[in-house]
Amino acid sequence: MVVIVNKSLSVTFRVPAELANAITCAVSDSGSDKTAWLIDAVRQKLNQPDSNVDFTY
């Protein structure tokens, strides 16, 4: 039997105010939550495939 445990880590970073505002607007327009939106953006930048893994935030 194989048990896969998906862990998430909290990451804190600073961004310029105008970038934070742009992120907030994009998240609002997407209908997603900020964490999911940022994970998607990072995955795209790193050329990593989408994951359907449900992380607990």
Side-chain angles (χ1 to χ4, degrees), residues 14-45:
R14 295 180 185 274
V15 297
E18 64 273 6
L19 183 56
N21 291 334
I23 291 169
T24 299
C25 289
V27 169
S28 179
D29 291 345
S30 75
S32 184
D33 65 78
K34 191 178 283 187
T35 299
W37 191 94
L38 287 167
I39 289 171
D40 183 53
V42 170
R43 285 188 186 282
Q44 286 182 34
K45 186 66 176 177

Side-chain angles (χ1 to χ4, degrees), residues 4-10 39 43 53-57:
I4 300 174
V5 177
N6 296 312
K7 294 184 178 185
S8 64
L9 300 174
S10 177
I39 289 171
R43 285 188 186 282
V53 176
D54 183 22
F55 291 105
T56 302
Y57 311 123

